[in-house]
């Protein structure tokens, strides 16, 4: 069937409508963020403010130490991403490329941990971190990432299973040791799935609210998610600062996703073969 210009116009029109549908919450959040207090609570609601107040973003940022919150979120996000990439790539490589006793049983046990809700381990983990003296520090949010994630290990293992054994056999014949094979041959090959894991981890950790809420007490240790939530009190809801800081908070993940989307598609397609 020949695709005519009319068909293209119809398809693109439908895509534009769907795009507007999904973008509308962000558009509404931006418009709300630049309204005055009276316009936010006016009835009937005003879609466009009379005078856009871009200073609301500055006021919201300065109302709390969001510079500190941003730094804490960046530290946690970057270190957990590094931890996930190192630990998951090593464990997945071992499961995919080596044969050892009880390998399949251990892998099934690893996958079975995905069925345990985080809510079940929440109290034991708190007690453990409290015993280590880590409460009210960023360590409970960072250190577990260096022990891997079952889902990420599974994703990488499936990708590595598709690579023929001849690759490392040839490297061994050329005199490469096991670490050189992993570092110089397989790590470059795993660029796409590792990028996918990094992006998924960044989005998850950057938006994490419950973890910091449980382990952090000092405001100086708060992350962006906790700072955003503090605009909502028992008897008061500060809508304008919430909308303003929500838009600010989604900028880093959107930038990361925009630059990494090519590798995300490659990582997903390579892992499901």
């Amino acid at each position: 069937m020949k695709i005519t210009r009319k068909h293209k116009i119809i398809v693109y029109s439908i895509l534009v409508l769907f795009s507007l549908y999904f973008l509308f919450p962000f558009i509404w959040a931006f418009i709300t963020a630049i309204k005055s207090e009276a316009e936010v609570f006016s009835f009937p609601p005003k879609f466009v403010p009379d005078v856009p107040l871009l200073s609301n973003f500055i006021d919201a940022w300065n109302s709390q130490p969001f510079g500190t919150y941003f730094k804490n979120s960046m530290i946690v996000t970057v270190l957990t991403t590094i931890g996930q990439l190192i630990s998951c790539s090593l464990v997945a490589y071992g499961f995919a490329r080596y044969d050892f006793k009880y390998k399949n049983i251990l892998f099934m046990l690893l996958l079975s941990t995905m069925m345990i809700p985080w809510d079940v381990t929440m109290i034991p983990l708190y007690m453990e971190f409290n015993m280590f003296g880590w409460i009210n520090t960023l360590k409970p949010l960072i250190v577990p990432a260096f022990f891997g994630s079952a889902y990420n290990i599974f994703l990488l293992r499936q990708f590595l299973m598709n690579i023929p054994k001849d690759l490392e056999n040839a490297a061994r014949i050329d005199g490469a040791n096991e670490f050189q094979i992993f570092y110089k041959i397989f790590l470059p090959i795993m660029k796409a799935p590792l990028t996918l894991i990094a992006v998924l981890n960044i989005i998850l950790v950057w938006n994490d609210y419950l973890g910091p809420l449980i382990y952090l007490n000092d405001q100086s240790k708060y992350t962006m998610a906790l700072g955003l939530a503090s605009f909502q009190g028992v008897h008061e809801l500060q809508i304008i600062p919430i909308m303003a800081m929500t838009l600010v908070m989604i900028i880093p993940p959107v930038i990361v996703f925009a630059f990494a989307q090519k590798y995300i598609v490659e990582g997903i397609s390579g892992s499901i073969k």
Side-chain angles (χ1 to χ4, degrees):
M1 180 181 175
K2 187 178 179 181
I3 299 176
T4 63
R5 186 176 179 181
K6 183 179 178 181
H7 290 140
K8 288 183 178 180
I9 292 173
I10 294 172
V11 170
Y12 285 124
S13 299
I14 294 172
L15 291 175
V16 167
L17 289 174
F18 273 102
S19 300
L20 291 174
Y21 173 77
F22 287 108
L23 285 173
F24 182 77
F26 301 101
I27 296 171
W28 181 260
F30 176 75
I31 292 172
T32 304
I34 60 175
K35 286 180 179 179
S36 65
E37 198 79 27
E39 289 172 328
V40 168
F41 295 103
S42 65
F43 187 84
K46 295 183 66 174
F47 187 74
V48 180
D50 295 331
V51 180
L53 300 175
L54 294 175
S55 59
N56 287 343
F57 287 91
I58 300 173
D59 294 339
W61 181 272
N62 293 330
S63 64
Q64 297 187 48
F66 273 101
T68 302
Y69 301 163
F70 182 82
K71 182 190 72 174
N72 293 337
S73 289
M74 287 296 294
I75 291 172
V76 173
T77 303
V78 171
L79 291 181
T80 54
T81 302
I82 292 172
Q84 287 287 352
L85 294 180
I86 293 174
S87 58
C88 293
S89 60
L90 287 170
V91 175
Y93 179 75
F95 275 119
R97 311 309 294 183
Y98 292 102
D99 293 319
F100 52 89
K101 196 174 182 181
Y102 305 124
K103 182 178 80 169
N104 292 331
I105 295 175
L106 290 173
F107 187 68
M108 290 301 296
L109 285 173
L110 175 70
L111 292 183
S112 67
T113 61
M114 295 172 61
M115 295 183 287
I116 303 174
W118 189 79
D119 311 62
V120 174
T121 61
M122 182 169 55
I123 295 176
L125 282 173
Y126 183 90
M127 295 171 65
E128 180 182 350
F129 293 142
N130 186 47
M131 183 178 64
F132 292 158
W134 289 0
I135 299 302
N136 201 32
T137 69
L138 299 179
K139 292 176 185 177
L141 305 176
I142 297 171
V143 173
F146 285 85
F147 292 88
S149 161
Y151 174 76
N152 294 338
I153 292 169
F154 171 75
L155 200 68
L156 284 172
R157 175 188 175 271
Q158 295 305 106
F159 179 85
L160 290 170
M161 291 285 285
N162 296 322
I163 301 173
K165 287 274 189 179
D166 298 340
L167 201 61
E168 64 253 45
N169 290 336
R172 289 191 184 100
I173 293 172
D174 290 337
N177 59 40
E178 297 302 318
F179 183 75
Q180 287 175 328
I181 293 171
F182 169 75
Y183 180 72
K184 294 186 177 180
I185 297 176
F186 281 92
L187 269 187
I189 294 174
M190 290 191 288
K191 184 177 181 180
L194 285 176
T195 304
L196 170 63
I197 288 171
V199 172
L200 292 176
N201 185 77
I202 288 170
I203 294 173
L204 177 67
V205 175
W206 186 263
N207 295 318
D208 184 25
Y209 170 72
L210 190 56
L213 180 66
I214 293 172
Y215 300 123
L216 304 179
N217 302 321
D218 261 346
Q219 194 178 27
S220 61
K221 304 289 195 313
Y222 279 10
T223 59
M224 290 288 287
L226 282 184
L228 179 64
S230 61
F231 284 121
Q232 181 176 353
V234 179
H235 304 292
E236 183 184 14
L237 181 65
Q238 302 178 55
I239 295 178
I240 295 175
I242 286 176
M243 292 299 181
M245 294 315 303
T246 298
L247 292 170
V248 171
M249 191 173 170
I250 66 174
I251 291 174
V254 168
I255 292 174
V256 170
F257 182 83
F259 281 102
Q261 57 182 332
K262 172 187 173 184
Y263 299 105
I264 292 173
V265 176
E266 291 180 10
I268 294 173
S269 60
S271 299
I272 61 176
K273 288 180 181 179

